Amino acid sequence: MGWIVNICRLNFRQHTLACAVLSWIVGTLASQGFVQSAGAQDTVDKDYAGELPRIPPRSVAEAQQSFSLLPGFEIELVAAEPLVTDPVAFAFDAHENLFVVEMRDYSEQESERLGSVALLRDTDGDGQMDQRTTFVEGLSWPTAIWNWRDGVLVAEPPKITWYRDTDGDGQSDQAEVWFDGFQRSNVQGLVNSLRWGVDGFIHGATSSSGADLTQPQAANNTSLALRGRDFAIDPLSKSMQPESGGGQHGMSFNRWGDKFVTSNSDHLQQIIDLDGWLAQHSGGVAIPSLRRSIAEDGPQAEVYRTSPVEPWRIVRTRLRMSGVAPGVVEGGGRAAGYFTGATGTWIMDAEAGFGLPGFDTALVCDVGSNLVHRKQLRSNGLFMTANRIDVETELLRSDDTWFRPVQLGDGPDGALYIADMYREVIEHPKSLPPMIKQHLDLTSGRDRGRIWRLKPTVLAATQPATAKVPADCSDAELIVRLTHPIAWQRRLASQLLVERDAKSQSTALQSTALQSTALRDTALRDVVNQGPPEAAVLALHVLFRLGQLDQATVRVALQATNPHVQAHAIALCRQAKLQQETAAELKQIAARPSTHRVQLELALTAAELTSADRLDVLQKLMVAKDPLVRAIIVTAAGAATPELMASELVSAAERQSWLQLMLPAWSKATEPAAKSAIANSIRDGLAQQADAWFAALRSLPSAADAQRLLRLLNTETYAAVMQRLDDQIVAASEHLPRSTVTSVAYLGLLTIDRQRELAANLLVAATPEEVQIQTIDSLIWCDAVASSKFLLSRFFGMTPVLQRVTLNGLMSNRQVLPSLAEALETRRILTAQIAPDVRQRLLDTHDAALKQRFAKILQAVSADRVSIIEQYADKLELRDQTNEIEAGQAIFARVCAQCHRLNDLGNDVGPPLKQLADKSPQQLLEIILDPNREVDPKYASYTVLLRDDRVFAGIISEEAASQIVLAEAGGKRHTIARSDIAQLRSTGVSLMPVGLEQQVTPEQMNQLISYLKKTSK
């Protein structure tokens, strides 16, 4: 057995070569009948101990020798066991002492309260911690920490508690719960990453477990629900407010306050926080996603480890691929080599020397691959793009599989600090099959842990020394330190100024920003335009937090030449309620070319201006190209959106896209003045550019919304518009098949009787399929209930594609479901004509009585997937002939392309079909016929019932405070306001339906799998 352990100790290249040789030996012996290939006899009851050797830990010295660093960097030990164990988070205080959260009760000992907070000190100044005090103990699953005044805030779900040391002995003697209600459903999805922001608040990540919070110490103890959202703490009032979020573990801000998170394999994302603003200004406008994966090499990017792949990962992947163990098979069946456990996102300034000159650097750990990865951040509008810096290598790698970098941060010296939990196994216990888990010790390493310091060699020798620790600095000295080149020093200076309520103590602060206009203007102009712009951002926010930000100061800041400073100044106008006093300056900025971020802040702030000034600013912003900025402009305009369309900056080519944003809000207008303005805009628009207006009207959720707008026209104008539209559709239908689908799309704007009259001539075999689809869609869009009888009477004359379109459309309104049940019972529709995905939706209807009725009619698909798979497996064979591959492609287009994309065919709704060539035909068969064996929560199906009786089914691709985005089969996405939702329910199953064997014969399955294997190579 020793030789297996030795292989596990090899570096990555040696390990790969050894495994290749071993694989050749085993394969050769197997071919001779001496041994069976590994995994050939995999079963639930098999003893896998022989394949799961324990890997011993290494000493601190050996671990330090295990690191591979890029040239120009060095790594040093800061602390190790027994001084610290299981570090998962840390924070330096104002005395430059190090507080460390120790999560010894990871991962299954949540009731044993083994967690603690250690206070570490470097008493001899050699850079290594040499003294420990246990500041707090007896915690359960502690995960995050931040220092505040004479104590620390500690996230220990369900609570965030302020632990204080009031007598200076290094131990907490007071505890005060600030927040309670963070959930604990996932040990790897707990609240984490408390950080001081440039805005003077402490921010944190809620993670996947969510929260339903109370705020015991806040003046207004309101409850707060956080699902898919993060939070910001005001430590002065001990209150919390929600903010946009959605990461898992690891959150960081750059010097401008841009927010970056990571989520498991989706290793780098950026978030724009509009949560609070949207909660106050919801106007029915679809808001684009506020969270975006920004890594150019994709979420689950390649990583280049030097450590061997742990034996349990190899065995688990094999068991998952063979179906012996449940679980998502990632990486096309590879056990490693890509991000699987991304964590600890951190952003370093360009000047810190961790990346390419002139660009900030994003650093991300992969705890499963024992490395720290880095990316170059490039500006790309509101969202950045992140490019891999290192070619087939990483910034820091270890060939020790015990190296577990779980969290990153910076320190007083500007270096990168790494919390190394140092564990034998880091994995969610529920992700380990019992036959593997019984041979592992998930507590192994509970008595170990290290903290490392990584820094550029050149900068380490030239970094300016700080004569005093921040705690010993006067307020005037702290203001100077806002300009410090080290980000940690700047941030802590801003925090201490807020902590000390420095407005009444700091002569330097008064002379810089608060005294006479001349002094203030001169001093602040120097900071804003000549000093470091990041210092100006911090100074402005400190002034605001101290209640000392006045309009004269803001006016100077608004003229900043740096767009980041200007954007923050605009935001502070809004937050300090100084927007009206500075309206003239805001209008001047709006009239000049500016960055997307400045445009966004202008739009957000314009919403708070008086109507005339608001319209002036927003009309000037109509040059904006970014979809999010445009959506905020329309939302901010409110009832004044008709006037926006009068802006000369709106080109004819872009008019339709602007209208599609505006019309949903227009359809809900109730004020007479607003209705009159809308009517004038519609009248003038239809006269000048009718097609753009018809297309925008057709994009509304329902014909009722469109008619509500058209009926604002006077009777004569309305009649003329409808006649013009009727003539256009008739002319198009008379020139089929050469007519465009676009004209037929407007059919739903006519009266229902006229629609049926024209549709009767369009729903015939001679009409192109795309035109018939548009006709059916228009009828259902107009009135699904009224159109159901008409469409069902023609059902047998429709092709399978048209039948699917009809059924999917009719199911979108629950009032039609009884008619569908009756049609099935009377055999006007045959059960054989019901596709599996349609069947699944009918069986999962909200109405219990209808659900039982459909179950009886459809005789729900048998749950015995094993026997069905066996029947298909007996006839399974790959086909490599061209005609067979083409037949497989046709089957894919018919039954799979609704949700999956392969090359250019299909839709991106379900999981991406990457690297299918690595899966065996048997594995593909099982995935297709038993999609619910293991459902990735990201792709679980939901049904949404709206208050107007419309029903949607799909996966939740995005969510925010005011809306969700539902992606349905076929690729269509619905942005749904939460206020419109009557019921949201998870089906608990995959969007991929059970029962595809009713559509695909064994022969066709062979063709489909042959196509999948061939095309995905």
Side-chain angles (χ1 to χ4, degrees):
M1 191 61 64
W3 58 274
I4 296 180
V5 176
N6 289 334
I7 285 178
C8 292
R9 287 177 173 169
L10 297 175
N11 66 34
F12 183 73
R13 294 186 184 277
Q14 293 169 331
H15 175 77
T16 302
L17 179 59
C19 286
V21 173
L22 178 60
S23 177
W24 177 82
I25 293 171
V26 171
T28 302
L29 292 174
S31 68
Q32 299 298 318
F34 291 107
V35 297
Q36 291 180 318
S37 298
Q41 299 298 320
D42 284 339
T43 65
V44 174
D45 300 324
K46 179 181 174 180
D47 185 357
Y48 293 90
E51 296 186 69
L52 299 171
R54 296 290 299 279
I55 301 173
R58 302 187 192 181
S59 69
V60 174
E62 290 173 331
Q64 190 157 5
Q65 291 301 312
S66 76
F67 291 123
S68 297
L69 279 170
L70 291 180
F73 290 90
E74 59 186 51
I75 191 165
E76 303 168 334
L77 180 70
V78 177
E81 69 275 0
L83 207 64
V84 66
T85 57
D86 282 330
V88 297
F90 57 86
F92 284 94
D93 71 359
H95 296 278
E96 300 187 1
N97 298 320
L98 185 61
F99 284 92
V100 182
V101 171
E102 300 174 312
M103 194 180 181
R104 283 192 290 264
D105 42 6
Y106 175 88
S107 59
E108 295 183 293
Q109 297 174 287
E110 60 176 305
S111 61
E112 297 184 31
R113 307 192 71 83
L114 302 176
S116 56
V117 175
L119 172 56
L120 306 182
R121 293 184 172 95
D122 174 13
T123 62
D124 57 11
D126 67 350
Q128 284 194 18
M129 301 296 167
D130 49 52
Q131 184 184 92
R132 171 197 171 98
T133 303
T134 300
F135 192 78
V136 186
E137 58 187 346
L139 305 179
S140 175
W141 281 359
T143 52
I145 192 167
W146 196 259
N147 54 289
W148 176 251
R149 291 181 173 158
D150 56 354
V152 288
L153 278 173
V154 179
E156 41 166 335
K159 302 173 183 178
I160 291 182
T161 305
W162 185 32
Y163 290 101
R164 301 179 63 197
D165 173 17
T166 62
D167 57 12
D169 66 352
Q171 295 180 317
S172 170
D173 48 57
Q174 289 187 10
E176 185 176 274
V177 176
W178 283 14
F179 311 103
D180 195 350
F182 288 97
Q183 302 301 309
R184 296 163 59 93
S185 59
N186 181 355
V187 68
Q188 295 184 171
L190 303 173
V191 54
N192 65 91
S193 301
L194 296 180
R195 312 286 189 215
W196 182 261
V198 299
D199 59 356
F201 292 80
I202 299 172
H203 300 258
T206 304
S207 198
S208 59
S209 293
D212 292 292
L213 296 174
T214 58
Q215 308 179 61
Q217 304 301 322
N220 182 13
N221 183 12
T222 56
S223 60
L224 188 64
L226 298 178
R227 181 180 181 273
R229 297 191 289 170
D230 292 340
F231 57 88
I233 298 171
D234 182 351
L236 298 176
S237 63
K238 302 175 184 178
S239 62
M240 180 184 287
Q241 61 191 31
E243 62 183 22
S244 306
Q248 185 180 7
H249 194 96
M251 179 188 72
S252 180
F253 298 93
N254 65 8
R255 71 185 88 191
W256 314 118
D258 298 320
K259 180 176 178 179
F260 302 85
V261 301
T262 189
S263 184
N264 202 6
S265 58
D266 195 348
H267 66 284
L268 189 59
Q269 304 168 59
Q270 184 181 344
I271 294 173
I272 294 176
D273 176 33
L274 298 181
D275 193 274
W277 191 91
L278 289 173
Q280 297 178 9
H281 299 87
S282 179
V285 178
I287 305 297
S289 176
L290 303 178
R291 179 173 60 162
R292 181 181 296 178
S293 294
I294 62 171
E296 285 211 336
D297 48 356
Q300 202 173 33
E302 296 288 304
V303 295
Y304 299 92
R305 59 190 292 167
T306 55
S307 56
V309 182
E310 297 143 302
W312 66 263
R313 290 187 187 274
I314 297 171
V315 175
R316 184 180 66 174
T317 299
R318 192 182 76 225
L319 295 180
R320 284 181 172 180
M321 292 182 68
S322 66
V324 172
V328 177
V329 178
E330 296 182 315
R334 293 183 298 161
Y338 50 92
F339 272 105
T340 60
T343 182
T345 309
W346 193 258
I347 310 300
M348 295 296 269
D349 293 347
E351 297 81 1
F354 281 83
L356 301 179
F359 297 94
D360 289 351
T361 306
L363 300 155
V364 185
C365 305
D366 191 304
V367 69
S369 297
N370 323 111
L371 56 84
V372 178
H373 171 85
R374 64 177 182 164
K375 276 185 160 64
Q376 173 194 40
L377 290 176
R378 288 180 173 271
S379 179
N380 186 28
L382 287 177
F383 291 93
M384 294 187 173
T385 57
N387 307 313
R388 167 179 275 278
I389 297 176
D390 309 305
V391 179
E392 295 188 1
T393 187
E394 305 292 350
L395 172 63
L396 171 65
R397 302 183 286 181
S398 172
D399 61 24
D400 180 6
T401 58
W402 281 61
F403 173 56
R404 304 295 186 182
V406 296
Q407 190 62 277
L408 301 175
D410 59 0
D413 56 353
L416 180 73
Y417 287 76
I418 304 168
D420 173 9
M421 201 172 182
Y422 207 74
R423 285 271 188 145
E424 184 177 2
V425 178
I426 292 283
E427 185 65 20
H428 196 295
K430 292 183 179 179
S431 296
L432 293 167
M435 66 284 281
I436 291 178
K437 186 177 177 182
Q438 65 180 323
H439 299 295
L440 304 178
D441 180 2
L442 299 189
T443 69
S444 180
R446 193 172 67 184
D447 58 345
R448 298 174 185 270
R450 291 90 191 259
I451 295 177
W452 304 95
R453 176 172 47 239
L454 178 67
K455 57 187 179 182
T457 306
V458 175
L459 286 182
T462 60
Q463 198 64 263
T466 52
K468 294 182 180 180
V469 298
D472 294 338
C473 291
S474 67
D475 292 345
E477 290 171 325
L478 289 176
I479 293 171
V480 174
R481 199 162 287 197
L482 292 177
T483 66
H484 201 284
I486 293 177
W488 184 92
Q489 296 285 350
R490 297 195 302 268
R491 288 196 309 270
L492 194 62
S494 74
Q495 177 176 337
L496 289 176
L497 289 168
V498 174
E499 281 187 11
R500 296 177 183 181
D501 193 23
K503 64 177 179 291
S504 61
Q505 303 174 24
S506 174
T507 303
L509 182 62
Q510 292 170 351
S511 64
T512 300
L514 301 177
Q515 288 296 313
S516 70
T517 303
L519 283 175
R520 177 176 51 248
D521 288 354
T522 301
L524 192 59
R525 187 178 295 111
D526 288 343
V527 173
V528 169
N529 286 328
Q530 297 176 22
E534 51 268 43
V537 169
L538 288 171
L540 289 170
H541 282 285
V542 169
L543 286 171
F544 172 68
R545 295 290 279 135
L546 297 178
Q548 301 298 304
L549 186 66
D550 59 20
Q551 58 180 291
T553 302
V554 170
R555 281 198 175 100
V556 177
L558 287 173
Q559 304 309 314
T561 56
N562 184 283
H564 297 288
V565 178
Q566 190 175 64
H568 278 273
I570 297 168
L572 285 167
C573 283
R574 179 173 72 254
Q575 295 170 36
K577 302 188 183 304
L578 296 172
Q579 65 277 353
Q580 202 56 56
E581 290 84 346
T582 56
E585 287 80 5
L586 295 174
K587 286 188 281 188
Q588 290 173 2
I589 297 171
R592 298 193 295 264
S594 56
T595 65
H596 294 297
R597 189 75 204 201
V598 169
Q599 290 177 336
L600 177 63
E601 293 299 342
L602 282 169
L604 294 168
T605 303
E608 314 302 329
L609 295 172
T610 59
S611 57
D613 290 331
R614 177 172 68 248
L615 184 61
D616 192 344
V617 171
L618 294 177
Q619 281 188 327
K620 289 180 171 65
L621 290 176
M622 298 292 278
V623 295
K625 303 296 183 184
D626 185 271
L628 179 55
V629 175
R630 287 187 169 194
I632 296 302
I633 289 172
V634 175
T635 303
T641 47
E643 287 87 340
L644 284 184
M645 295 308 297
S647 171
E648 296 179 355
L649 300 176
V650 180
S651 68
E654 295 180 330
R655 191 170 300 276
Q656 181 180 328
S657 62
W658 280 105
L659 286 172
Q660 288 175 340
L661 284 169
M662 296 179 183
L663 294 191
W666 289 11
S667 68
K668 298 177 182 179
T670 56
E671 294 295 325
K675 288 183 176 182
S676 176
I678 292 169
N680 292 337
S681 186
I682 295 173
R683 180 198 62 213
D684 296 343
L686 287 171
Q688 298 168 8
Q689 202 174 2
D691 278 346
W693 281 79
F694 285 146
L697 288 165
R698 181 61 179 83
S699 70
L700 285 164
S702 70
D705 295 324
Q707 283 297 325
R708 195 176 299 118
L709 290 172
L710 289 170
R711 289 290 183 181
L712 295 176
L713 300 170
N714 63 45
T715 304
E716 182 179 351
T717 305
Y718 175 80
V721 168
M722 299 309 289
Q723 186 59 56
R724 176 181 177 178
L725 182 60
D726 192 299
D727 293 343
Q728 182 174 335
I729 296 171
V730 169
S733 64
E734 289 176 349
H735 291 84
L736 291 172
R738 291 176 296 162
S739 80
T740 63
V741 180
T742 303
S743 297
V744 178
Y746 308 152
L747 184 69
L749 295 170
L750 302 178
T751 64
I752 191 67
D753 289 339
R754 182 57 173 155
Q755 288 178 53
R756 291 177 192 164
E757 185 178 343
L758 293 172
N761 297 324
L762 291 169
L763 294 178
V764 294
T767 303
E769 185 179 81
E770 60 177 346
V771 175
Q772 293 192 64
I773 290 174
Q774 194 61 263
T775 301
I776 294 168
D777 188 53
S778 294
L779 290 170
I780 294 171
W781 175 75
C782 177
D783 192 333
V785 177
S787 301
S788 59
K789 184 177 180 180
F790 174 82
L791 289 171
L792 291 176
S793 68
R794 288 162 170 74
F795 195 79
F796 274 95
M798 297 179 181
T799 64
V801 171
L802 297 178
Q803 289 177 346
R804 177 191 287 271
V805 170
T806 299
L807 290 175
N808 275 325
L810 292 177
M811 283 191 302
S812 66
N813 191 301
R814 68 172 179 173
Q815 294 183 25
V816 179
L817 295 180
S819 298
L820 287 177
E822 181 184 2
L824 284 162
E825 289 166 338
T826 59
R827 297 183 63 78
R828 285 184 291 146
I829 301 176
L830 302 178
T831 56
Q833 294 172 309
I834 305 296
D837 59 326
V838 176
R839 176 193 300 270
Q840 189 63 50
R841 284 187 63 183
L842 292 175
L843 292 172
D844 195 52
T845 182
H846 289 72
D847 187 293
L850 271 174
K851 186 173 184 177
Q852 186 175 5
R853 188 175 171 186
F854 280 123
K856 181 179 178 181
I857 296 168
L858 298 172
Q859 297 177 345
V861 176
S862 169
D864 183 10
R865 298 281 91 200
V866 175
S867 62
I868 294 172
I869 291 171
E870 288 176 349
Q871 293 171 22
Y872 276 69
D874 288 342
K875 303 176 182 178
L876 187 59
E877 64 172 315
L878 290 183
R879 312 285 180 78
D880 199 31
Q881 297 89 343
T882 301
N883 62 324
E884 296 287 339
I885 300 299
E886 291 176 350
Q889 180 177 2
I891 296 164
F892 178 87
R894 176 166 59 87
V895 301
C896 306
Q898 287 282 306
C899 295
H900 296 285
R901 179 184 296 276
L902 193 54
N903 295 335
D904 296 327
L905 181 59
N907 296 288
D908 292 313
V909 179
L913 302 182
K914 292 181 179 179
Q915 297 171 313
L916 289 178
D918 292 332
K919 292 183 173 63
S920 69
Q922 176 71 25
Q923 292 158 6
L924 289 173
L925 181 65
E926 292 168 358
I927 291 170
I928 294 169
L929 294 179
D930 191 8
N932 294 320
R933 176 174 294 185
E934 181 71 20
V935 181
D936 187 332
K938 292 185 295 186
Y939 298 105
S941 176
Y942 281 78
T943 57
V944 182
L945 172 63
L946 302 187
R947 299 188 187 280
D948 62 3
D949 284 331
R950 285 181 294 150
V951 180
F952 298 114
I955 63 169
I956 297 177
S957 60
E958 300 169 17
E959 59 180 313
S962 59
Q963 66 183 30
I964 65 170
V965 177
L966 198 77
E968 66 177 20
K972 189 172 183 179
R973 280 168 164 75
H974 302 277
T975 300
I976 304 171
R978 291 186 184 271
S979 58
D980 292 339
I981 298 175
Q983 185 177 357
L984 173 68
R985 182 164 59 90
S986 172
T987 65
V989 298
S990 168
L991 187 63
M992 184 172 174
V994 174
L996 284 177
E997 69 274 5
Q998 299 190 6
Q999 278 194 307
V1000 181
T1001 66
E1003 173 69 13
Q1004 293 171 330
M1005 185 67 73
N1006 289 336
Q1007 295 169 336
L1008 173 61
I1009 291 176
S1010 297
Y1011 166 71
L1012 293 174
K1013 292 284 289 181
K1014 182 80 171 179
T1015 309
S1016 58
K1017 286 183 179 179

